[in-house]
Amino acid sequence: MPSVPAVRQTQPVQRAGIVSRMLSVFAKAAAPVTDLSGFIDRDRSWFPVIREPFTGAWQRNREINNNTVMAYNAVYSCVTLIASDISKMCLRLVEQNKTTGIWEEADAPAFSPVLRKPNRYQTRIKFIENWVVSKLARGNTVALKERDNRGVVVAMYILDWGRVKPLVAPDGSVYYQLSRDDLAGVGEQVVVPASEIIHDTMCPLFHPLCGVSPLIACGLAAMQGLSIQANATRFFENGAMPGGVLSAPGTIDDVTAARLKEHWEQNYTGSNAGRVAVLGDGLKYEKMAMTAVESQMIEQLKWTAETVCSCFHVPAYMVGVGTPPAYNNVEALNQQYYSQCLQAIIESIELLLDEGLGLTDVKGHIYGTEFDLDGLLRMDTATQYKTIGDGIGAALLAPNEGRKKIGLKPLPGGNSVFMQQQNYSLEALAKRDALEDPFALAPKAAQHLPSPADEAAAVANVDTPPPAKSFKGDDLDQAATVQIARWAFKDALELELQKMAA
């Protein structure tokens, strides 16, 4: 763990809660810092850049606010879809088998409990969901670790990105300044080293410690969609009647114009829209605003929603925008969704948990975390049954392994892999063919009908195993070839005897 750079110390920070316990474990390496003059602050470097959706938007008060943008249906659908799909997959501890190299599910007292219950107020599903939502909406996820006296991580808390400030020391070491967060147990502002933080960035376009949310690319489209919906709401509140102009053939004074306007608004707009208006003295009403059909509102809304989906890499049909693909292959559709949208986020979470929980530093074991993708990449029932059946028939799966995939209990004897007996290696068959054809011996043997005693002796001699011998290399293939020839001779002999007896 990197040491805190030499900085001027003032009055010590009052530490309480989780941060106090965490710092007490790592007191030497994570002493509290109150003088931040030696750090590079994101607020004093690149971060306070005003990002406008278009030139002059800031002066016109047209800012893209995250809370407002999240109200757009396409943004909300994409964020919640990705977060729920990842959180519903089981997160498990796995260990790599040193002999086979296969990752197998494991259980370790130091790591399994925190994966099952990350903190006191969140389940595993809500913890992962909170992780992904923070990453997608804010571009960053910051999790604070809580350790016990052994230094083992026993809890993790997702922090509000607005209360976290990355700091870079002159020697390049990274620290995080945490503001008050009662839910996470942070009593007062404190600076902790990066070793006590798990930081997941979405896409660090401008700085490696600060990710950028997809909302930076689709925020303007979302604001446009919200504006279209707001205008449509006002339009239909007015009885689906557009605004217009009352015009007269001659000149009218301002008093008369104001009186006519007030009379029209009180009697023929809002809840009174649709009433019959009687106009005299040549007054004429002409509409000014475009109708929903003329402005192609539906097409505009569809375009904004598709733009949002493209920025989140979510297939548009999955959030109710556009037409689903014509082909009916659930697994292929889920595989496309996983590879283009979910895989990078899932792999990032797994890697950060491996490093953050210290799974890569356990001597004698190769631990890791893994999401179970079976809940996501699920096939339709017919395809699933056929795939599992083909796997069992090809000796890739044991019957009980296939039954487990579809939620059925194991059966006695189903833990072995089965394969038909007639499958032999090409080398063994080639050596058998090089010997005298055993089938040619059958007619010669049939010329003299053996007595029952001779027949029993012959059959017993065939079934008698060869003497014990230590086979090595080609000897083992030779023994197999001889045994195949003996079995073939036995079958041919019995067939000839049955024919002659008939």
Side-chain angles (χ1 to χ4, degrees):
M1 182 183 303
S3 59
V4 176
V7 295
R8 185 171 66 257
Q9 295 286 342
T10 59
Q11 296 181 356
V13 175
Q14 298 294 327
R15 300 171 300 181
I18 295 171
V19 175
S20 175
R21 297 194 297 273
M22 181 269 296
L23 292 180
S24 65
V25 176
F26 297 93
K28 295 181 179 180
V33 180
T34 57
D35 187 357
L36 306 179
S37 59
F39 292 92
I40 300 174
D41 191 343
R42 74 177 185 187
D43 288 341
R44 290 180 289 180
S45 57
W46 63 273
F47 192 77
V49 178
I50 298 175
R51 309 195 186 281
E52 303 174 309
F54 55 89
T55 304
W58 178 64
Q59 289 81 355
R60 298 169 58 184
N61 200 25
R62 297 286 183 87
E63 298 177 282
I64 297 179
N65 185 283
N66 278 17
N67 295 332
T68 303
V69 170
M70 288 295 295
Y72 187 49
N73 65 305
V75 175
Y76 180 85
S77 298
C78 289
V79 172
T80 55
L81 176 68
I82 297 173
S84 60
D85 281 344
I86 295 179
S87 63
K88 72 183 181 183
M89 292 184 288
C90 180
L91 179 62
R92 57 188 181 181
L93 179 70
V94 293
E95 182 180 3
Q96 188 176 31
N97 190 306
K98 297 180 180 179
T99 303
T100 63
I102 298 176
W103 291 92
E104 302 172 347
E105 190 169 359
D107 186 82
F111 309 117
S112 298
V114 72
L115 292 178
R116 289 192 292 263
K117 181 69 174 177
N119 53 56
R120 67 182 186 279
Y121 60 89
Q122 284 182 315
T123 62
R124 171 188 57 81
I125 291 179
K126 287 304 176 182
F127 176 80
I128 297 298
E129 190 176 28
N130 191 5
W131 181 312
V132 178
V133 168
S134 177
K135 183 175 182 178
L136 295 176
R138 308 297 294 275
N140 298 267
T141 295
V142 178
L144 174 65
K145 307 176 191 176
E146 179 185 357
R147 300 180 186 267
D148 58 12
N149 294 329
R150 302 170 299 168
V152 176
V153 179
V154 294
M156 296 177 289
Y157 302 90
I158 303 296
L159 302 178
D160 181 3
W161 174 243
R163 300 171 181 262
V164 180
K165 183 183 298 183
L167 304 174
V168 181
D171 62 353
S173 55
V174 178
Y175 296 82
Y176 291 85
Q177 178 178 311
L178 310 182
S179 298
R180 183 184 182 92
D181 192 331
D182 295 332
L183 191 60
V186 182
E188 294 186 8
Q189 187 179 96
V190 66
V191 176
V192 298
S195 60
E196 305 312 308
I197 294 292
I198 299 177
H199 187 186
D200 190 4
T201 59
M202 184 65 193
C203 184
L205 294 179
F206 309 105
H207 192 279
L209 295 179
C210 295
V212 177
S213 168
L215 296 178
I216 194 175
C218 63
L220 185 58
M223 294 296 290
Q224 179 181 354
L226 289 174
S227 299
I228 294 175
Q229 293 179 2
N231 291 334
T233 301
R234 289 192 296 268
F235 175 76
F236 286 102
E237 284 179 351
N238 195 32
M241 295 294 294
V245 175
L246 279 174
S247 60
T251 303
I252 58 176
D253 54 28
D254 295 339
V255 177
T256 304
R259 178 178 57 81
L260 291 174
K261 178 177 178 295
E262 181 181 2
H263 176 76
W264 184 270
E265 290 178 346
Q266 291 180 355
N267 293 278
Y268 306 109
T269 61
S271 60
N272 295 324
R275 285 187 174 185
V276 178
V278 179
L279 304 178
D281 297 331
L283 289 177
K284 183 179 180 182
Y285 174 79
E286 296 178 355
K287 66 177 182 179
M288 291 181 59
M290 293 185 298
T291 63
V293 176
E294 293 170 338
S295 60
Q296 296 182 327
M297 182 185 69
I298 301 301
E299 288 76 7
Q300 287 290 325
L301 280 175
K302 182 180 178 181
W303 176 85
T304 57
E306 290 176 346
T307 301
V308 170
C309 292
S310 66
C311 293
F312 282 94
H313 306 294
V314 174
Y317 70 90
M318 299 192 72
V319 296
V321 180
T323 305
Y327 58 95
N328 185 18
N329 190 328
V330 178
E331 184 186 17
L333 297 177
N334 289 336
Q335 182 66 47
Q336 178 190 9
Y337 168 53
Y338 166 75
S339 60
Q340 77 178 26
C341 180
L342 302 183
Q343 185 175 9
I345 302 176
I346 291 174
E347 296 284 349
S348 178
I349 296 176
E350 292 175 347
L351 181 59
L352 287 170
L353 288 176
D354 292 349
E355 297 178 354
L357 299 180
L359 302 180
T360 58
D361 302 328
V362 181
K363 294 183 179 180
H365 298 274
I366 305 177
Y367 285 122
T369 55
E370 182 181 72
F371 283 99
D372 187 3
L373 300 180
D374 288 343
L376 176 68
L377 304 178
R378 181 162 295 181
M379 299 171 283
D380 60 276
T381 304
T383 305
Q384 187 178 21
Y385 277 39
K386 183 178 185 305
T387 302
I388 294 175
D390 292 345
I392 295 175
L396 297 177
L397 294 174
N400 283 344
E401 292 176 337
R403 293 175 62 86
K404 182 179 179 181
K405 288 182 176 295
I406 56 178
L408 298 178
K409 63 181 181 180
L411 296 177
N415 293 325
S416 300
V417 178
F418 293 89
M419 179 171 284
Q420 296 187 8
Q421 183 180 356
Q422 67 267 24
N423 294 331
Y424 299 102
S425 66
L426 296 179
E427 290 81 3
L429 294 176
K431 291 180 179 180
R432 185 200 68 180
D433 294 341
L435 299 176
E436 181 180 3
D437 186 2
F439 294 99
L441 300 178
K444 298 179 182 179
Q447 293 178 1
H448 304 281
L449 184 63
S451 62
D454 295 336
E455 178 182 350
V459 174
N461 183 46
V462 172
D463 290 335
T464 302
K469 180 181 178 181
S470 177
F471 296 103
K472 296 182 180 179
D474 295 338
D475 292 341
L476 185 61
D477 294 338
Q478 180 67 26
T481 303
V482 172
Q483 185 63 31
I484 293 174
R486 295 176 64 187
W487 287 337
F489 173 77
K490 175 185 175 182
D491 293 341
L493 179 61
E494 290 181 348
L495 180 62
E496 290 294 332
L497 292 176
Q498 291 174 4
K499 289 181 179 180
M500 297 178 68

